[in-house]
Amino acid sequence: MKKNQKKTSSLLVSAGLLLGSLAHADDDYSVNFSGYVRAQTSIFLEDQEETAGNDKWDVGMARTSLQLEMDAQAGDVFWKAVGRLDKEYQTSYLDDLEQLTQTQTPGGFATTQDYLDQYQTDSLGDFLREFYVDFSLNDRVDVRLGKQQLVWGESDFFQALDVVHGFDYRKRLFFENNEDWRKPLILANFNVDVPELDGNLNFYVRPGWDRAEDMGSNFNIEGGRWIPHPYRGVDFTAFTDYNEDNPNGDWDDPTFGLRWNGTAGSIGYSFAYLKTFNPQPIINPAANSAVPGAFGVTSMQSYGELAKNQVLGDWVFPEIDVFGFTANTYSQSIDSTLSAEFAFIPDKPYNYGALQSSLPGWAGVKEKDTLVTMVRLDKELDLSSWLGTNRPSLTSIQLFDTWIVDYDENDEIVEFASFGAKKKEHTTYLTFFTLLNFNRDTINPSLVLGTDLSNGGGFAIPAVEMVFGDNWRFKGEANLWWTDGDQKHVAAGSVPGRNPLGALENSASFFDWFGDDNQLTFTLTRQF
């Protein structure tokens, strides 16, 4: 805690230096403010089976956000600050979920902290999302220092090279703007222009000064509204911890990356290497009821033996190496832009085993060479004569594949700990996106579709955004899922769908997690 206070204090000192530099700048300077106020709500189209009542048509989320941005120019130095305040109203559904969580798993987040803190801003460090300075060392070298977002790669829905940062998936596990849920980090970011080779070198160093809560991706393991079914109302923090000091993933360790961007004729390309943290947490199970285990644990005691006020395991973000390549070009013959992205991760960690237990995937960790591939086609279609659109409509098709190169069926690797469906050698998603524009871009319907070609299931997001003047935006969308497997979680003496602790869950792949989550979402934004 003291470490985090020091880091927050250093940012405040930097803010003071910024104001001082502007007040005493010899050159002209300017300061601009902008931002938005946003209200967002979601309504269930189906009953949430974990809770006792019928939740159909209930409000699952009632959220308000205020984002403030400041841009300041002082001579050749540019400063940027972004702050965001998120607040939520505790709906009746969240009341039921909090009570269920406290009853099933006392002693975790839901009983020791404000239940809404998992979804909203509760500290200055959370509010100050970005704070950095841009300047040039010379005609070739540009520098950005401070808390920032650095996006590498070409992917939209699933990350291949966009792994510099973690993401906060607790508010919504899907259907969100990456910029809003990406977790900014303190980086020294350099860009070196090399015109002789038609390219530039971008490299960064993360010195390890970030808060623990800024590291890795957050899934809603607190038992909230976006923990995947069937674990709504099960607070995993009651019997697991985040381990920020694990030797395989110490969050204070510096990380870094470098990327070469260039052009070869009509083809844009990049090569990248990153030393970073695994995008999702891995459970490192306890070897016994008191001593945390290390990678390679091969046996698992029963839940009943371990759950007596003991830590069952630690959530760890192991360090990984990522070797990446991207390419993009315009094809005149099909009037389309083609993009590809490849990320090779040697010894990527996966949870495995214990498939027939109440905690599948908790046998330990196995490391497997993994190749992630994305190919995409973007095309503008002129549909004005058919639909009356006012300009060509952007359409995109993307194929995303994760290949475990040294796959072995007997490894019993799972997608995510506590879900027992075996991960296949290839996990392949196909997505489709189209955006239509009417009435001078003031009425903008869109459609997103996706399916899992390996396991079945998928999603559809029909939406429309309305633009009112320069400041107001309203978006309504339906978040719809279809599933191929079953969420089998039947425990002796339990009601199916409730009290999944001690139950078996060994069939649900990724899209099956969202089997009861069809809902409507409405967003009203006032920009300023």
Side-chain angles (χ1 to χ4, degrees), residues 146-153 159-167 182-189 202-207 210 214-217 251 253-259 272-279 317 320 322 341:
K147 193 176 183 182
Q148 58 188 277
Q149 296 188 42
L150 178 60
V151 184
W152 286 359
Q159 284 75 42
L161 285 178
D162 188 8
V163 291
V164 177
H165 306 265
F167 293 80
R182 188 180 290 110
K183 298 164 69 174
L185 297 172
I186 299 173
L187 307 174
N189 183 12
N202 182 205
F203 64 94
Y204 76 90
V205 176
R206 187 195 67 85
D210 306 282
D214 291 330
M215 301 301 301
S217 292
W251 293 350
D253 286 349
T255 54
F256 63 92
L258 62 159
R259 180 180 64 165
Y273 168 75
L274 299 91
K275 169 69 75 173
T276 187
F277 294 96
N278 199 58
F317 295 88
I320 58 173
V322 182
E341 180 174 349

Side-chain angles (χ1 to χ4, degrees), residues 106-107 238-239 289-290 303-312:
F239 48 87
S289 60
Y303 171 80
E305 293 174 333
L306 288 173
K308 300 174 182 178
N309 299 317
Q310 302 292 343
V311 173
L312 294 182

